[in-house]
Amino acid sequence: IFANLSYSSADQVTVHFINRDGERLTATAKEGESLLEVVVNQNLAIDGFGACEGTLACSTCHLIFEKDTFQKLDAVSDEELDMLDLAYGLTETSRLGCQVCIKKSMDGLTVRVPMDVSDIRRQLEVGKQSKQ
C-alpha cells in the first residue's frame, strides 16, 4: 500500500500562483498537466482565467515566470506568440498557461498572474451596453 502512495506523490509537483491581489495560491499538479489545467482542476480562484479552455483563442491564462524558470521552458509556438501579443501587461517572461506543461523539475514553481487580462468578451459586453 505504501509503495502506491509514494508513487502517486512522486509524480506530483507543487506550484504557486501569485494572484492579481497578491494572494499566494498553492496547488498540487501532475506531471504533464498544463498550468491552465492545474488552475481548473484545483478550482483556483483566478478570475477569468482560461476563457477559451486552452484552444489558443485568447490570452486570459497569461502568466509571468521568473527569468531562470522561463529559460528552461519548451519553445514558444508562433500561435502562442500571436495570442501573447494581445495580452495585457506582457513581459519578456510571459507565457500562456495552456501551453506550459508541468515537469518534475518545476516542483516549487512560482508564477505571477498579471494585474489585468485582455478578454475580448469583456470589450464586447461594454459595446453592447453602450448601444442600449
Side-chain angles (χ1 to χ4, degrees), residues 79-103:
E79 293 85 359
E80 182 181 355
L81 284 173
D82 289 345
M83 283 298 116
L84 279 169
D85 283 343
L86 305 173
Y88 178 86
L90 190 65
T91 73
E92 288 181 9
T93 60
S94 290
R95 289 291 303 266
L96 296 180
C98 66
Q99 299 300 301
V100 177
C101 289
I102 294 293
K103 294 179 184 161

mmCIF file with all atom_site columns, all heavy atoms in Angstrom, residues 79-103:
data_model
loop_
_atom_site.group_PDB
_atom_site.id
_atom_site.type_symbol
_atom_site.label_atom_id
_atom_site.label_alt_id
_atom_site.label_comp_id
_atom_site.label_asym_id
_atom_site.label_entity_id
_atom_site.label_seq_id
_atom_site.pdbx_PDB_ins_code
_atom_site.Cartn_x
_atom_site.Cartn_y
_atom_site.Cartn_z
_atom_site.occupancy
_atom_site.B_iso_or_equiv
_atom_site.pdbx_formal_charge
_atom_site.auth_seq_id
_atom_site.auth_comp_id
_atom_site.auth_asym_id
_atom_site.auth_atom_id
_atom_site.pdbx_PDB_model_num
ATOM 1   N N   . GLU A 1 79  ? 1.727  30.434 -32.825 1.00 0.00 ? 79  GLU A N   1
ATOM 2   C CA  . GLU A 1 79  ? 0.332  30.642 -32.417 1.00 0.00 ? 79  GLU A CA  1
ATOM 3   C C   . GLU A 1 79  ? 0.266  31.262 -31.021 1.00 0.00 ? 79  GLU A C   1
ATOM 4   O O   . GLU A 1 79  ? -0.517 32.174 -30.765 1.00 0.00 ? 79  GLU A O   1
ATOM 5   C CB  . GLU A 1 79  ? -0.457 29.328 -32.444 1.00 0.00 ? 79  GLU A CB  1
ATOM 6   C CG  . GLU A 1 79  ? -0.665 28.750 -33.832 1.00 0.00 ? 79  GLU A CG  1
ATOM 7   C CD  . GLU A 1 79  ? 0.510  27.893 -34.320 1.00 0.00 ? 79  GLU A CD  1
ATOM 8   O OE1 . GLU A 1 79  ? 1.525  27.750 -33.587 1.00 0.00 ? 79  GLU A OE1 1
ATOM 9   O OE2 . GLU A 1 79  ? 0.413  27.372 -35.438 1.00 0.00 ? 79  GLU A OE2 1
ATOM 10  N N   . GLU A 1 80  ? 1.114  30.753 -30.115 1.00 0.00 ? 80  GLU A N   1
ATOM 11  C CA  . GLU A 1 80  ? 1.138  31.308 -28.760 1.00 0.00 ? 80  GLU A CA  1
ATOM 12  C C   . GLU A 1 80  ? 1.632  32.748 -28.778 1.00 0.00 ? 80  GLU A C   1
ATOM 13  O O   . GLU A 1 80  ? 1.065  33.614 -28.099 1.00 0.00 ? 80  GLU A O   1
ATOM 14  C CB  . GLU A 1 80  ? 2.005  30.452 -27.835 1.00 0.00 ? 80  GLU A CB  1
ATOM 15  C CG  . GLU A 1 80  ? 2.022  30.975 -26.408 1.00 0.00 ? 80  GLU A CG  1
ATOM 16  C CD  . GLU A 1 80  ? 2.896  30.179 -25.454 1.00 0.00 ? 80  GLU A CD  1
ATOM 17  O OE1 . GLU A 1 80  ? 3.456  29.134 -25.860 1.00 0.00 ? 80  GLU A OE1 1
ATOM 18  O OE2 . GLU A 1 80  ? 3.020  30.605 -24.297 1.00 0.00 ? 80  GLU A OE2 1
ATOM 19  N N   . LEU A 1 81  ? 2.652  33.029 -29.575 1.00 0.00 ? 81  LEU A N   1
ATOM 20  C CA  . LEU A 1 81  ? 3.170  34.403 -29.680 1.00 0.00 ? 81  LEU A CA  1
ATOM 21  C C   . LEU A 1 81  ? 2.086  35.357 -30.183 1.00 0.00 ? 81  LEU A C   1
ATOM 22  O O   . LEU A 1 81  ? 1.977  36.484 -29.692 1.00 0.00 ? 81  LEU A O   1
ATOM 23  C CB  . LEU A 1 81  ? 4.387  34.453 -30.611 1.00 0.00 ? 81  LEU A CB  1
ATOM 24  C CG  . LEU A 1 81  ? 5.696  33.925 -30.030 1.00 0.00 ? 81  LEU A CG  1
ATOM 25  C CD1 . LEU A 1 81  ? 6.776  33.872 -31.102 1.00 0.00 ? 81  LEU A CD1 1
ATOM 26  C CD2 . LEU A 1 81  ? 6.141  34.776 -28.852 1.00 0.00 ? 81  LEU A CD2 1
ATOM 27  N N   . ASP A 1 82  ? 1.291  34.901 -31.153 1.00 0.00 ? 82  ASP A N   1
ATOM 28  C CA  . ASP A 1 82  ? 0.195  35.740 -31.665 1.00 0.00 ? 82  ASP A CA  1
ATOM 29  C C   . ASP A 1 82  ? -0.780 36.107 -30.560 1.00 0.00 ? 82  ASP A C   1
ATOM 30  O O   . ASP A 1 82  ? -1.234 37.245 -30.470 1.00 0.00 ? 82  ASP A O   1
ATOM 31  C CB  . ASP A 1 82  ? -0.561 35.016 -32.797 1.00 0.00 ? 82  ASP A CB  1
ATOM 32  C CG  . ASP A 1 82  ? 0.264  34.919 -34.071 1.00 0.00 ? 82  ASP A CG  1
ATOM 33  O OD1 . ASP A 1 82  ? 1.278  35.643 -34.191 1.00 0.00 ? 82  ASP A OD1 1
ATOM 34  O OD2 . ASP A 1 82  ? -0.105 34.111 -34.950 1.00 0.00 ? 82  ASP A OD2 1
ATOM 35  N N   . MET A 1 83  ? -1.117 35.138 -29.714 1.00 0.00 ? 83  MET A N   1
ATOM 36  C CA  . MET A 1 83  ? -2.052 35.398 -28.614 1.00 0.00 ? 83  MET A CA  1
ATOM 37  C C   . MET A 1 83  ? -1.391 36.252 -27.525 1.00 0.00 ? 83  MET A C   1
ATOM 38  O O   . MET A 1 83  ? -2.032 37.129 -26.945 1.00 0.00 ? 83  MET A O   1
ATOM 39  C CB  . MET A 1 83  ? -2.556 34.087 -27.998 1.00 0.00 ? 83  MET A CB  1
ATOM 40  C CG  . MET A 1 83  ? -3.609 33.403 -28.824 1.00 0.00 ? 83  MET A CG  1
ATOM 41  S SD  . MET A 1 83  ? -5.097 34.419 -28.993 1.00 0.00 ? 83  MET A SD  1
ATOM 42  C CE  . MET A 1 83  ? -5.116 34.719 -30.733 1.00 0.00 ? 83  MET A CE  1
ATOM 43  N N   . LEU A 1 84  ? -0.114 36.021 -27.267 1.00 0.00 ? 84  LEU A N   1
ATOM 44  C CA  . LEU A 1 84  ? 0.595  36.825 -26.263 1.00 0.00 ? 84  LEU A CA  1
ATOM 45  C C   . LEU A 1 84  ? 0.653  38.291 -26.675 1.00 0.00 ? 84  LEU A C   1
ATOM 46  O O   . LEU A 1 84  ? 0.623  39.178 -25.820 1.00 0.00 ? 84  LEU A O   1
ATOM 47  C CB  . LEU A 1 84  ? 2.020  36.284 -26.038 1.00 0.00 ? 84  LEU A CB  1
ATOM 48  C CG  . LEU A 1 84  ? 2.129  35.081 -25.099 1.00 0.00 ? 84  LEU A CG  1
ATOM 49  C CD1 . LEU A 1 84  ? 3.526  34.483 -25.172 1.00 0.00 ? 84  LEU A CD1 1
ATOM 50  C CD2 . LEU A 1 84  ? 1.770  35.455 -23.668 1.00 0.00 ? 84  LEU A CD2 1
ATOM 51  N N   . ASP A 1 85  ? 0.693  38.549 -27.988 1.00 0.00 ? 85  ASP A N   1
ATOM 52  C CA  . ASP A 1 85  ? 0.689  39.936 -28.474 1.00 0.00 ? 85  ASP A CA  1
ATOM 53  C C   . ASP A 1 85  ? -0.551 40.688 -28.001 1.00 0.00 ? 85  ASP A C   1
ATOM 54  O O   . ASP A 1 85  ? -0.549 41.910 -27.900 1.00 0.00 ? 85  ASP A O   1
ATOM 55  C CB  . ASP A 1 85  ? 0.750  39.979 -30.009 1.00 0.00 ? 85  ASP A CB  1
ATOM 56  C CG  . ASP A 1 85  ? 2.143  39.693 -30.540 1.00 0.00 ? 85  ASP A CG  1
ATOM 57  O OD1 . ASP A 1 85  ? 3.116  39.789 -29.757 1.00 0.00 ? 85  ASP A OD1 1
ATOM 58  O OD2 . ASP A 1 85  ? 2.255  39.363 -31.728 1.00 0.00 ? 85  ASP A OD2 1
ATOM 59  N N   . LEU A 1 86  ? -1.632 39.954 -27.717 1.00 0.00 ? 86  LEU A N   1
ATOM 60  C CA  . LEU A 1 86  ? -2.892 40.561 -27.274 1.00 0.00 ? 86  LEU A CA  1
ATOM 61  C C   . LEU A 1 86  ? -2.987 40.652 -25.748 1.00 0.00 ? 86  LEU A C   1
ATOM 62  O O   . LEU A 1 86  ? -3.931 41.228 -25.220 1.00 0.00 ? 86  LEU A O   1
ATOM 63  C CB  . LEU A 1 86  ? -4.078 39.740 -27.793 1.00 0.00 ? 86  LEU A CB  1
ATOM 64  C CG  . LEU A 1 86  ? -4.129 39.501 -29.297 1.00 0.00 ? 86  LEU A CG  1
ATOM 65  C CD1 . LEU A 1 86  ? -5.255 38.540 -29.647 1.00 0.00 ? 86  LEU A CD1 1
ATOM 66  C CD2 . LEU A 1 86  ? -4.286 40.816 -30.052 1.00 0.00 ? 86  LEU A CD2 1
ATOM 67  N N   . ALA A 1 87  ? -2.016 40.076 -25.058 1.00 0.00 ? 87  ALA A N   1
ATOM 68  C CA  . ALA A 1 87  ? -2.083 40.010 -23.592 1.00 0.00 ? 87  ALA A CA  1
ATOM 69  C C   . ALA A 1 87  ? -1.789 41.357 -22.956 1.00 0.00 ? 87  ALA A C   1
ATOM 70  O O   . ALA A 1 87  ? -0.936 42.116 -23.428 1.00 0.00 ? 87  ALA A O   1
ATOM 71  C CB  . ALA A 1 87  ? -1.104 38.964 -23.074 1.00 0.00 ? 87  ALA A CB  1
ATOM 72  N N   . TYR A 1 88  ? -2.492 41.638 -21.884 1.00 0.00 ? 88  TYR A N   1
ATOM 73  C CA  . TYR A 1 88  ? -2.279 42.861 -21.110 1.00 0.00 ? 88  TYR A CA  1
ATOM 74  C C   . TYR A 1 88  ? -1.050 42.664 -20.220 1.00 0.00 ? 88  TYR A C   1
ATOM 75  O O   . TYR A 1 88  ? -0.879 41.616 -19.617 1.00 0.00 ? 88  TYR A O   1
ATOM 76  C CB  . TYR A 1 88  ? -3.510 43.135 -20.249 1.00 0.00 ? 88  TYR A CB  1
ATOM 77  C CG  . TYR A 1 88  ? -3.380 44.357 -19.378 1.00 0.00 ? 88  TYR A CG  1
ATOM 78  C CD1 . TYR A 1 88  ? -3.709 45.615 -19.874 1.00 0.00 ? 88  TYR A CD1 1
ATOM 79  C CD2 . TYR A 1 88  ? -2.926 44.266 -18.075 1.00 0.00 ? 88  TYR A CD2 1
ATOM 80  C CE1 . TYR A 1 88  ? -3.588 46.745 -19.093 1.00 0.00 ? 88  TYR A CE1 1
ATOM 81  C CE2 . TYR A 1 88  ? -2.808 45.396 -17.280 1.00 0.00 ? 88  TYR A CE2 1
ATOM 82  C CZ  . TYR A 1 88  ? -3.143 46.630 -17.793 1.00 0.00 ? 88  TYR A CZ  1
ATOM 83  O OH  . TYR A 1 88  ? -3.014 47.745 -17.022 1.00 0.00 ? 88  TYR A OH  1
ATOM 84  N N   . GLY A 1 89  ? -0.196 43.672 -20.141 1.00 0.00 ? 89  GLY A N   1
ATOM 85  C CA  . GLY A 1 89  ? 0.960  43.615 -19.241 1.00 0.00 ? 89  GLY A CA  1
ATOM 86  C C   . GLY A 1 89  ? 2.006  42.602 -19.664 1.00 0.00 ? 89  GLY A C   1
ATOM 87  O O   . GLY A 1 89  ? 2.649  41.969 -18.825 1.00 0.00 ? 89  GLY A O   1
ATOM 88  N N   . LEU A 1 90  ? 2.192  42.453 -20.959 1.00 0.00 ? 90  LEU A N   1
ATOM 89  C CA  . LEU A 1 90  ? 3.150  41.491 -21.500 1.00 0.00 ? 90  LEU A CA  1
ATOM 90  C C   . LEU A 1 90  ? 4.562  41.793 -21.003 1.00 0.00 ? 90  LEU A C   1
ATOM 91  O O   . LEU A 1 90  ? 4.966  42.947 -20.943 1.00 0.00 ? 90  LEU A O   1
ATOM 92  C CB  . LEU A 1 90  ? 3.111  41.549 -23.032 1.00 0.00 ? 90  LEU A CB  1
ATOM 93  C CG  . LEU A 1 90  ? 3.856  40.461 -23.782 1.00 0.00 ? 90  LEU A CG  1
ATOM 94  C CD1 . LEU A 1 90  ? 3.216  39.096 -23.534 1.00 0.00 ? 90  LEU A CD1 1
ATOM 95  C CD2 . LEU A 1 90  ? 3.857  40.770 -25.276 1.00 0.00 ? 90  LEU A CD2 1
ATOM 96  N N   . THR A 1 91  ? 5.304  40.739 -20.630 1.00 0.00 ? 91  THR A N   1
ATOM 97  C CA  . THR A 1 91  ? 6.696  40.897 -20.198 1.00 0.00 ? 91  THR A CA  1
ATOM 98  C C   . THR A 1 91  ? 7.583  39.978 -21.038 1.00 0.00 ? 91  THR A C   1
ATOM 99  O O   . THR A 1 91  ? 7.083  39.158 -21.812 1.00 0.00 ? 91  THR A O   1
ATOM 100 C CB  . THR A 1 91  ? 6.870  40.506 -18.706 1.00 0.00 ? 91  THR A CB  1
ATOM 101 O OG1 . THR A 1 91  ? 6.776  39.075 -18.595 1.00 0.00 ? 91  THR A OG1 1
ATOM 102 C CG2 . THR A 1 91  ? 5.837  41.179 -17.817 1.00 0.00 ? 91  THR A CG2 1
ATOM 103 N N   . GLU A 1 92  ? 8.885  40.096 -20.836 1.00 0.00 ? 92  GLU A N   1
ATOM 104 C CA  . GLU A 1 92  ? 9.834  39.226 -21.557 1.00 0.00 ? 92  GLU A CA  1
ATOM 105 C C   . GLU A 1 92  ? 9.713  37.776 -21.110 1.00 0.00 ? 92  GLU A C   1
ATOM 106 O O   . GLU A 1 92  ? 10.190 36.873 -21.792 1.00 0.00 ? 92  GLU A O   1
ATOM 107 C CB  . GLU A 1 92  ? 11.269 39.706 -21.323 1.00 0.00 ? 92  GLU A CB  1
ATOM 108 C CG  . GLU A 1 92  ? 11.607 40.991 -22.035 1.00 0.00 ? 92  GLU A CG  1
ATOM 109 C CD  . GLU A 1 92  ? 13.056 41.404 -21.795 1.00 0.00 ? 92  GLU A CD  1
ATOM 110 O OE1 . GLU A 1 92  ? 13.838 40.618 -21.221 1.00 0.00 ? 92  GLU A OE1 1
ATOM 111 O OE2 . GLU A 1 92  ? 13.398 42.530 -22.190 1.00 0.00 ? 92  GLU A OE2 1
ATOM 112 N N   . THR A 1 93  ? 9.103  37.535 -19.948 1.00 0.00 ? 93  THR A N   1
ATOM 113 C CA  . THR A 1 93  ? 8.981  36.173 -19.427 1.00 0.00 ? 93  THR A CA  1
ATOM 114 C C   . THR A 1 93  ? 7.513  35.722 -19.345 1.00 0.00 ? 93  THR A C   1
ATOM 115 O O   . THR A 1 93  ? 7.148  34.915 -18.508 1.00 0.00 ? 93  THR A O   1
ATOM 116 C CB  . THR A 1 93  ? 9.653  36.048 -18.048 1.00 0.00 ? 93  THR A CB  1
ATOM 117 O OG1 . THR A 1 93  ? 9.020  36.958 -17.144 1.00 0.00 ? 93  THR A OG1 1
ATOM 118 C CG2 . THR A 1 93  ? 11.143 36.346 -18.115 1.00 0.00 ? 93  THR A CG2 1
ATOM 119 N N   . SER A 1 94  ? 6.684  36.270 -20.245 1.00 0.00 ? 94  SER A N   1
ATOM 120 C CA  . SER A 1 94  ? 5.270  35.901 -20.303 1.00 0.00 ? 94  SER A CA  1
ATOM 121 C C   . SER A 1 94  ? 5.076  34.643 -21.140 1.00 0.00 ? 94  SER A C   1
ATOM 122 O O   . SER A 1 94  ? 5.726  34.467 -22.172 1.00 0.00 ? 94  SER A O   1
ATOM 123 C CB  . SER A 1 94  ? 4.450  37.030 -20.941 1.00 0.00 ? 94  SER A CB  1
ATOM 124 O OG  . SER A 1 94  ? 4.368  38.138 -20.092 1.00 0.00 ? 94  SER A OG  1
ATOM 125 N N   . ARG A 1 95  ? 4.165  33.789 -20.681 1.00 0.00 ? 95  ARG A N   1
ATOM 126 C CA  . ARG A 1 95  ? 3.724  32.614 -21.449 1.00 0.00 ? 95  ARG A CA  1
ATOM 127 C C   . ARG A 1 95  ? 2.255  32.395 -21.175 1.00 0.00 ? 95  ARG A C   1
ATOM 128 O O   . ARG A 1 95  ? 1.707  32.909 -20.195 1.00 0.00 ? 95  ARG A O   1
ATOM 129 C CB  . ARG A 1 95  ? 4.499  31.350 -21.027 1.00 0.00 ? 95  ARG A CB  1
ATOM 130 C CG  . ARG A 1 95  ? 5.954  31.306 -21.440 1.00 0.00 ? 95  ARG A CG  1
ATOM 131 C CD  . ARG A 1 95  ? 6.189  31.153 -22.928 1.00 0.00 ? 95  ARG A CD  1
ATOM 132 N NE  . ARG A 1 95  ? 5.591  29.980 -23.542 1.00 0.00 ? 95  ARG A NE  1
ATOM 133 C CZ  . ARG A 1 95  ? 6.221  28.818 -23.717 1.00 0.00 ? 95  ARG A CZ  1
ATOM 134 N NH1 . ARG A 1 95  ? 7.472  28.672 -23.334 1.00 0.00 ? 95  ARG A NH1 1
ATOM 135 N NH2 . ARG A 1 95  ? 5.592  27.811 -24.290 1.00 0.00 ? 95  ARG A NH2 1
ATOM 136 N N   . LEU A 1 96  ? 1.599  31.616 -22.013 1.00 0.00 ? 96  LEU A N   1
ATOM 137 C CA  . LEU A 1 96  ? 0.215  31.237 -21.767 1.00 0.00 ? 96  LEU A CA  1
ATOM 138 C C   . LEU A 1 96  ? 0.208  29.932 -20.977 1.00 0.00 ? 96  LEU A C   1
ATOM 139 O O   . LEU A 1 96  ? 0.881  28.970 -21.351 1.00 0.00 ? 96  LEU A O   1
ATOM 140 C CB  . LEU A 1 96  ? -0.540 31.063 -23.089 1.00 0.00 ? 96  LEU A CB  1
ATOM 141 C CG  . LEU A 1 96  ? -0.691 32.324 -23.938 1.00 0.00 ? 96  LEU A CG  1
ATOM 142 C CD1 . LEU A 1 96  ? -1.465 32.014 -25.214 1.00 0.00 ? 96  LEU A CD1 1
ATOM 143 C CD2 . LEU A 1 96  ? -1.365 33.442 -23.164 1.00 0.00 ? 96  LEU A CD2 1
ATOM 144 N N   . GLY A 1 97  ? -0.573 29.918 -19.910 1.00 0.00 ? 97  GLY A N   1
ATOM 145 C CA  . GLY A 1 97  ? -0.625 28.751 -19.038 1.00 0.00 ? 97  GLY A CA  1
ATOM 146 C C   . GLY A 1 97  ? -1.096 27.483 -19.730 1.00 0.00 ? 97  GLY A C   1
ATOM 147 O O   . GLY A 1 97  ? -0.730 26.376 -19.340 1.00 0.00 ? 97  GLY A O   1
ATOM 148 N N   . CYS A 1 98  ? -1.890 27.639 -20.794 1.00 0.00 ? 98  CYS A N   1
ATOM 149 C CA  . CYS A 1 98  ? -2.387 26.463 -21.517 1.00 0.00 ? 98  CYS A CA  1
ATOM 150 C C   . CYS A 1 98  ? -1.290 25.790 -22.338 1.00 0.00 ? 98  CYS A C   1
ATOM 151 O O   . CYS A 1 98  ? -1.453 24.662 -22.783 1.00 0.00 ? 98  CYS A O   1
ATOM 152 C CB  . CYS A 1 98  ? -3.577 26.828 -22.409 1.00 0.00 ? 98  CYS A CB  1
ATOM 153 S SG  . CYS A 1 98  ? -3.171 27.932 -23.783 1.00 0.00 ? 98  CYS A SG  1
ATOM 154 N N   . GLN A 1 99  ? -0.175 26.483 -22.521 1.00 0.00 ? 99  GLN A N   1
ATOM 155 C CA  . GLN A 1 99  ? 0.898  25.964 -23.376 1.00 0.00 ? 99  GLN A CA  1
ATOM 156 C C   . GLN A 1 99  ? 2.118  25.483 -22.589 1.00 0.00 ? 99  GLN A C   1
ATOM 157 O O   . GLN A 1 99  ? 3.069  24.975 -23.174 1.00 0.00 ? 99  GLN A O   1
ATOM 158 C CB  . GLN A 1 99  ? 1.343  27.044 -24.376 1.00 0.00 ? 99  GLN A CB  1
ATOM 159 C CG  . GLN A 1 99  ? 0.236  27.486 -25.313 1.00 0.00 ? 99  GLN A CG  1
ATOM 160 C CD  . GLN A 1 99  ? -0.299 26.334 -26.146 1.00 0.00 ? 99  GLN A CD  1
ATOM 161 O OE1 . GLN A 1 99  ? 0.429  25.693 -26.891 1.00 0.00 ? 99  GLN A OE1 1
ATOM 162 N NE2 . GLN A 1 99  ? -1.595 26.053 -25.997 1.00 0.00 ? 99  GLN A NE2 1
ATOM 163 N N   . VAL A 1 100 ? 2.092  25.657 -21.267 1.00 0.00 ? 100 VAL A N   1
ATOM 164 C CA  . VAL A 1 100 ? 3.227  25.248 -20.439 1.00 0.00 ? 100 VAL A CA  1
ATOM 165 C C   . VAL A 1 100 ? 2.808  24.041 -19.618 1.00 0.00 ? 100 VAL A C   1
ATOM 166 O O   . VAL A 1 100 ? 1.877  24.117 -18.816 1.00 0.00 ? 100 VAL A O   1
ATOM 167 C CB  . VAL A 1 100 ? 3.679  26.400 -19.514 1.00 0.00 ? 100 VAL A CB  1
ATOM 168 C CG1 . VAL A 1 100 ? 4.803  25.941 -18.599 1.00 0.00 ? 100 VAL A CG1 1
ATOM 169 C CG2 . VAL A 1 100 ? 4.118  27.604 -20.335 1.00 0.00 ? 100 VAL A CG2 1
ATOM 170 N N   . CYS A 1 101 ? 3.485  22.915 -19.861 1.00 0.00 ? 101 CYS A N   1
ATOM 171 C CA  . CYS A 1 101 ? 3.154  21.682 -19.148 1.00 0.00 ? 101 CYS A CA  1
ATOM 172 C C   . CYS A 1 101 ? 4.125  21.434 -18.003 1.00 0.00 ? 101 CYS A C   1
ATOM 173 O O   . CYS A 1 101 ? 5.316  21.727 -18.102 1.00 0.00 ? 101 CYS A O   1
ATOM 174 C CB  . CYS A 1 101 ? 3.154  20.497 -20.115 1.00 0.00 ? 101 CYS A CB  1
ATOM 175 S SG  . CYS A 1 101 ? 1.748  20.574 -21.248 1.00 0.00 ? 101 CYS A SG  1
ATOM 176 N N   . ILE A 1 102 ? 3.578  20.890 -16.936 1.00 0.00 ? 102 ILE A N   1
ATOM 177 C CA  . ILE A 1 102 ? 4.329  20.624 -15.717 1.00 0.00 ? 102 ILE A CA  1
ATOM 178 C C   . ILE A 1 102 ? 5.374  19.545 -15.945 1.00 0.00 ? 102 ILE A C   1
ATOM 179 O O   . ILE A 1 102 ? 5.093  18.511 -16.553 1.00 0.00 ? 102 ILE A O   1
ATOM 180 C CB  . ILE A 1 102 ? 3.360  20.175 -14.591 1.00 0.00 ? 102 ILE A CB  1
ATOM 181 C CG1 . ILE A 1 102 ? 2.419  21.316 -14.203 1.00 0.00 ? 102 ILE A CG1 1
ATOM 182 C CG2 . ILE A 1 102 ? 4.106  19.634 -13.385 1.00 0.00 ? 102 ILE A CG2 1
ATOM 183 C CD1 . ILE A 1 102 ? 3.081  22.492 -13.537 1.00 0.00 ? 102 ILE A CD1 1
ATOM 184 N N   . LYS A 1 103 ? 6.570  19.812 -15.439 1.00 0.00 ? 103 LYS A N   1
ATOM 185 C CA  . LYS A 1 103 ? 7.650  18.822 -15.422 1.00 0.00 ? 103 LYS A CA  1
ATOM 186 C C   . LYS A 1 103 ? 8.076  18.654 -13.972 1.00 0.00 ? 103 LYS A C   1
ATOM 187 O O   . LYS A 1 103 ? 7.909  19.558 -13.161 1.00 0.00 ? 103 LYS A O   1
ATOM 188 C CB  . LYS A 1 103 ? 8.851  19.319 -16.239 1.00 0.00 ? 103 LYS A CB  1
ATOM 189 C CG  . LYS A 1 103 ? 8.578  19.440 -17.709 1.00 0.00 ? 103 LYS A CG  1
ATOM 190 C CD  . LYS A 1 103 ? 9.811  19.949 -18.427 1.00 0.00 ? 103 LYS A CD  1
ATOM 191 C CE  . LYS A 1 103 ? 9.514  20.160 -19.902 1.00 0.00 ? 103 LYS A CE  1
ATOM 192 N NZ  . LYS A 1 103 ? 10.491 21.031 -20.524 1.00 0.00 ? 103 LYS A NZ  1
#
